[in-house]
Amino acid sequence: MAKSGSARPSRAGAVRKSSKGRAVGSGGQGRQALEGKKPTPKAEDRPYHPAGKAKAARDRFAAAGGKGRPGARSSSERGQDAPRTAPARRVKKADDSEMVTGRNSVVEALRAHIPATALYVAFRVEVDERVKEALSLANKRGIPVMEVMRPELDRLSGHDAVHQGLALKVPPYEYAHPETLLDQVTRKGQTPLFVALDGITDPRNLGAIIRSTAAFGGHGVIVPQRRSVGVTASAWKTSAGAAARTPVAMASNLTQTLKAFKAAGVFVVGLDGDGDVELPGLDFAQGPIVIVVGNEGKGLSRLVTETCDAIVSIPISSGTESLNAGIAASVTLYEIARQRTLKKG
């Protein structure tokens, strides 16, 4: 038992002995821990929480009145306030042209009005209906027809290519600048609608997305410079000619381009099967939008996901099935076009 009048034992950890034997206090270093944590902010008040992003996007849409954020300026008006993203530059070879080979492929490419600089025909080729049609279409469009020996056509077509006596030379695609496209749309008084690709490597998906963008009133497609498909002959064919009237822009850095679009009042919507907003519930479809479609296997990249105002999922009946990138973009474009049409009506 402690003796009467003795000092009460100090709480463990409250004091410590100095090198000279004197008692030294903690200086209140543990006071904050004793007071407890502060109240956890609501989900919608946390800027990096999906609910916080959705709230911010709704607030922007309410302030925008369906025509972009008030006070938002085009890149040409922003000047030094917000640096313009650098134009993408893809390193080209001496001749970056492509060859579309095979009778069916050549005819389909000519029907789709793919820009071409020459049609190569093998010497003494066996003429059938497809060869006749290819020659007729080339002559109508003023495309030079070159008759070459088969060894030369083999060399032009590339290793293991099956040309069947026909090959079409396609020039390299000239990409637009993303912010230039946005400026053009806003100057016309239109509500921007773009599709951006994040990690899409299949040219057929790109062609399908270009075709859907044209069909549902979109203004262009944006592809990143690295780790992404470009506008190849295969993409031209799949677009069924839509690539001739729907511009494709190349972004040197997709995340920075999306941030530049956001600064101009455009809402960034990412597509993902685990999204926190279902497509029918997208309440700012009438506003300026860029839809971001991710890789079928990996989905959206982390930086792009963090940049999006909302991550949208498309409800499907079976949980084991998934939509490929081209179909997902098409469904989303249709829903946005439908909601915009209903509002006008």
Side-chain angles (χ1 to χ4, degrees):
M1 177 181 292
K3 296 181 180 181
S4 174
S6 63
R8 184 177 180 181
S10 61
R11 177 175 57 84
V15 296
R16 66 180 185 274
K17 293 290 185 179
S18 69
S19 59
K20 296 182 179 180
R22 295 192 301 271
V24 180
S26 65
Q29 295 176 7
R31 183 179 301 166
Q32 185 175 1
L34 294 174
E35 292 176 354
K37 296 182 179 180
K38 298 180 180 179
T40 302
K42 295 181 181 180
E44 61 182 16
D45 294 331
R46 284 175 269 172
Y48 295 103
H49 193 280
K53 289 186 177 183
K55 180 177 181 295
R58 287 194 298 269
D59 292 343
R60 286 167 58 197
F61 177 66
K67 294 184 179 180
R69 190 182 62 202
R73 293 169 290 172
S74 66
S75 58
S76 60
E77 297 172 321
R78 288 195 296 270
Q80 299 297 326
D81 297 342
R84 184 189 184 98
T85 57
R89 294 182 180 179
R90 174 169 288 181
V91 178
K92 296 182 180 180
K93 303 176 184 176
D95 185 0
D96 204 18
S97 300
E98 278 196 87
M99 299 297 291
V100 180
T101 59
R103 300 189 180 191
N104 288 332
S105 297
V106 168
V107 171
E108 289 174 8
L110 289 169
R111 287 174 179 172
H113 294 278
I114 293 179
T117 55
L119 173 65
Y120 292 92
V121 183
F123 181 66
R124 292 184 178 177
V125 67
E126 183 181 347
V127 179
D128 62 5
E129 293 300 322
R130 293 169 296 177
V131 174
K132 290 180 181 179
E133 184 176 359
L135 293 171
S136 175
L137 291 172
N139 287 327
K140 288 179 180 178
R141 293 176 50 189
I143 299 173
V145 178
M146 315 289 290
E147 188 176 33
V148 296
M149 302 300 292
R150 283 190 175 271
E152 176 64 10
L153 190 55
D154 293 339
R155 185 190 67 80
L156 291 170
S157 300
H159 181 64
D160 291 336
V162 181
H163 54 71
Q164 298 175 309
L166 282 184
L168 188 68
K169 189 175 184 180
V170 181
Y173 186 83
E174 294 185 5
Y175 296 91
H177 191 285
E179 292 178 59
T180 300
L181 288 183
L182 179 60
D183 290 346
Q184 291 172 353
V185 174
T186 54
R187 281 199 300 265
K188 293 177 181 178
Q190 300 173 338
T191 303
L193 177 58
F194 292 91
V195 180
L197 276 56
D198 181 21
I200 301 296
T201 57
D202 189 343
R204 292 170 296 183
N205 273 332
L206 172 58
I209 290 171
I210 294 173
R211 188 174 184 179
S212 297
T213 302
F216 296 114
H219 299 102
V221 177
I222 303 169
V223 298
Q225 183 178 6
R226 299 177 180 86
R227 294 182 291 276
S228 175
V229 66
V231 182
T232 63
S234 178
W236 269 103
K237 277 181 20 179
T238 309
S239 75
R245 58 183 182 276
T246 303
V248 178
M250 181 174 286
S252 57
N253 185 302
L254 182 60
T255 303
Q256 294 302 320
T257 296
L258 294 177
K259 289 180 179 179
F261 271 52
K262 290 179 69 172
V266 179
F267 304 111
V268 181
V269 176
L271 298 185
D272 190 277
D274 297 325
D276 39 70
V277 178
E278 288 194 350
L279 180 60
L282 188 62
D283 53 3
F284 43 85
Q286 293 83 14
I289 287 182
V290 54
I291 304 164
V292 188
V293 186
N295 181 278
E296 291 183 28
K298 299 178 181 179
L300 298 172
S301 63
R302 178 182 60 84
L303 292 176
V304 168
T305 301
E306 293 175 355
T307 305
C308 292
D309 291 309
I311 304 298
V312 176
S313 63
I314 300 174
I316 55 179
S317 59
S318 174
T320 60
E321 298 294 333
S322 62
L323 303 176
N324 70 24
I327 295 176
S330 180
V331 171
T332 306
L333 286 164
Y334 166 78
E335 176 61 19
I336 291 174
R338 186 187 68 85
Q339 290 193 31
R340 290 182 174 184
T341 302
L342 289 176
K343 183 180 180 181
K344 290 179 180 179

